[in-house]
């Protein structure tokens, strides 16, 4: 249990950093303003007034996803943090739960439910639905049920009603809109509402997964509901990846491979850069001419270009100034993408990439990144996660001293720090209109 809570603290810190940084981004203010229309309540909203639990979950969810630095379960192809934490923190506020240990336990359970369902839906579902959205409600319901101390039957009702609200079409991939981040808030709010309703006796379908018109028959024709209840030696939260680059996770291994090439090339000029990846990386991230910061984060060409030019793929490399830079645009045009059979074979258990640079002097250098930095096979340690949090807090406008306090509070939650201690620092902008 101690190791599980320690892991949950790292994910809490990562979510807080993403959410505070993201709360100042385009696409965060509108859900926050919508939440404020719901009136006052007990629940904290980053950069907003306190409001009711559904509204708070809806407002805080998008903030954690907008910068594309949120945690990810690669096997489930989903992002738990921006769904689970907005839901369980709002529930704790609403229910008067200040015990950090209870919230950490709820996070572990919420991650477990969301990830188990997400890993079982099958490729047909994942190709058509944003799995974070369609499966996030299950995780939020489970996490909030834990906060509320629901018995097994009421927890099952909560899961059933959360599943009835599954949603999240992938049309958002094809247009420059904010909707993908809204998915996180809506999944959090739906799961939270389902758990509160179940607490008060509101029944839900107990065969939501396997029923004749249930989740799998309706949305997952090649899914496997039995996988949800398969045994496991550890909680799934321990297998979730942290992001080290400010881009879609499908681009991370390519970034790592290009950084390795850059080191080998030692300043020599580039003629052609070739990247091989698995099919989904190309499906989601083959975008030669991104028009927005969001599109640039889903562009293998842009991510590889800035990695080669600058030696990183940090938040500053996805601003409009960099996207429109003629030097960056010219390098994007020198990048060739292709499907690599080895990467395809190992996916989704491993998110890998290969890269080759043909240099202007005729030399050729090659590199392979079988796993992305931050995956369980290539983990980020706690100091690296703290450094990432500092960078995100600075991006969001948090002073260094406040960032230090918030990091300390997050890493001591349930072991000397309460939710009151956490929100005293994290609720930046509280009272804003």
């Amino acid at each position: 249990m101690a190791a599980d809570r320690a892991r949950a603290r790292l994910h809490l810190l990562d979510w807080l950093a993403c959410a505070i940084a993201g709360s100042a981004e385009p696409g965060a203010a509108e859900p926050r303003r919508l939440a404020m229309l719901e009136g006052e309540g007990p629940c904290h909203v980053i950069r907003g007034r306190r409001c009711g639990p559904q509204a708070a979950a809806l407002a805080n969810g998008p903030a954690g996803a907008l910068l594309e630095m949120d945690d990810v379960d690669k096997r489930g192809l989903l992002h738990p943090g921006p769904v689970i934490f907005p839901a369980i923190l709002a529930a704790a506020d609403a229910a008067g739960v200040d015990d950090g240990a209870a919230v950490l336990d709820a996070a572990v359970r919420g991650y477990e439910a969301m990830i188990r369902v997400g890993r079982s839906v099958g490729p047909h579902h994942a190709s058509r639905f944003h799995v974070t959205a369609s499966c996030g409600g299950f995780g939020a319901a489970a996490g909030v049920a834990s906060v509320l101390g629901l018995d097994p039957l009421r927890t099952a009702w909560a899961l059933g009603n959360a599943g009835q609200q599954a949603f999240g079409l992938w049309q958002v991939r094809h247009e420059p809109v904010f909707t993908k981040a809204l998915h996180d808030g809506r999944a959090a709010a739906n799961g939270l509402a389902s758990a509160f309703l179940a607490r008060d006796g509101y029944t839900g379908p107990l065969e939501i997964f396997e029923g004749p018109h249930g989740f799998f028959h309706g949305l997952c024709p090649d899914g496997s509901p039995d996988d949800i209840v398969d045994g496991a030696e550890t909680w799934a939260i321990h297998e979730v990846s942290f992001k080290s680059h400010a881009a879609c996770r499908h681009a991370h291994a390519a970034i790592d491979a290009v950084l390795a090439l850059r080191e080998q090339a030692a300043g020599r000029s580039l003629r052609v850069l070739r990247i091989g990846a698995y099919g989904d990386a190309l499906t989601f991230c083959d975008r030669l001419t991104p028009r927005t910061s969001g599109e640039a984060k889903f562009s293998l060409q842009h991510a590889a270009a800035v990695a080669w030019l600058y030696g990183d793929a940090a938040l500053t490399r996805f601003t409009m100034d960099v996207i429109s830079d003629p030097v960056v645009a010219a390098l994007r045009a020198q990048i060739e993408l292709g499907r690599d059979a080895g990467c395809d074979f190992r996916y989704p258990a491993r998110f890998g990439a290969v890269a080759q640079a043909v240099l202007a002097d005729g030399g050729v250098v090659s590199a392979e990144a079988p796993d992305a930095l931050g995956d369980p096979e290539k983990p980020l340690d706690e100091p690296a996660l703290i450094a990432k949090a500092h960078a995100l807090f600075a991006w969001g406008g948090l002073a260094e001293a406040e960032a230090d306090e918030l990091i300390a509070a997050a890493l001591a939650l349930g072991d000397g720090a309460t939710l009151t201690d956490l929100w005293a620092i994290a609720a930046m902008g509280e009272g804003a209109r």
Side-chain angles (χ1 to χ4, degrees), residues 10 39 113 150 153 245 310 336-337 346 376 399:
L10 294 178
L150 300 191
L153 178 59
H245 309 302
Y310 301 111
E336 299 175 357
L337 304 183
R346 292 184 290 271

Side-chain angles (χ1 to χ4, degrees), residues 264-285:
Q264 292 180 55
R268 290 182 285 172
S269 298
L270 179 71
R271 181 183 300 162
V272 177
L273 180 57
R274 299 189 179 104
I275 294 173
Y278 48 89
D280 272 357
L282 303 180
T283 298
F284 282 82
C285 297

Side-chain angles (χ1 to χ4, degrees), residues 75 109 111-122 134-135 138-139 142 159 163 206-211 214-217 220 223-232 234-236:
R75 286 171 54 195
R109 293 174 177 132
Y111 270 62
E112 188 75 13
M114 183 174 175
I115 290 168
R116 279 181 173 264
V117 179
R119 291 177 179 179
S120 68
V121 297
S134 61
C135 300
F138 292 112
L159 291 168
L206 299 181
E207 295 185 354
I208 186 61
F209 294 118
E210 73 276 24
F215 182 76
F216 280 87
H217 281 285
C220 314
S224 177
D226 290 341
D227 289 350
I228 297 175
V229 292
D230 275 356
T234 61
W235 293 97

Side-chain angles (χ1 to χ4, degrees), residues 169-245:
L169 294 169
W170 259 139
Q171 179 59 30
V172 296
R173 285 172 36 213
H174 305 292
E175 302 179 42
V177 295
F178 295 129
T179 317
K180 179 175 177 287
L182 181 63
H183 285 172
D184 298 76
R186 180 54 65 195
N190 287 348
L192 178 147
S194 298
F196 272 87
L197 288 168
R199 181 192 65 174
D200 294 338
Y202 200 92
T203 59
L206 299 181
E207 295 185 354
I208 186 61
F209 294 118
E210 73 276 24
H213 289 89
F215 182 76
F216 280 87
H217 281 285
L219 300 179
C220 314
D222 57 355
S224 177
D226 290 341
D227 289 350
I228 297 175
V229 292
D230 275 356
E233 294 183 3
T234 61
W235 293 97
I237 194 171
H238 293 281
E239 300 172 357
V240 176
S241 301
F242 293 100
K243 286 186 176 181
S244 56
H245 309 302

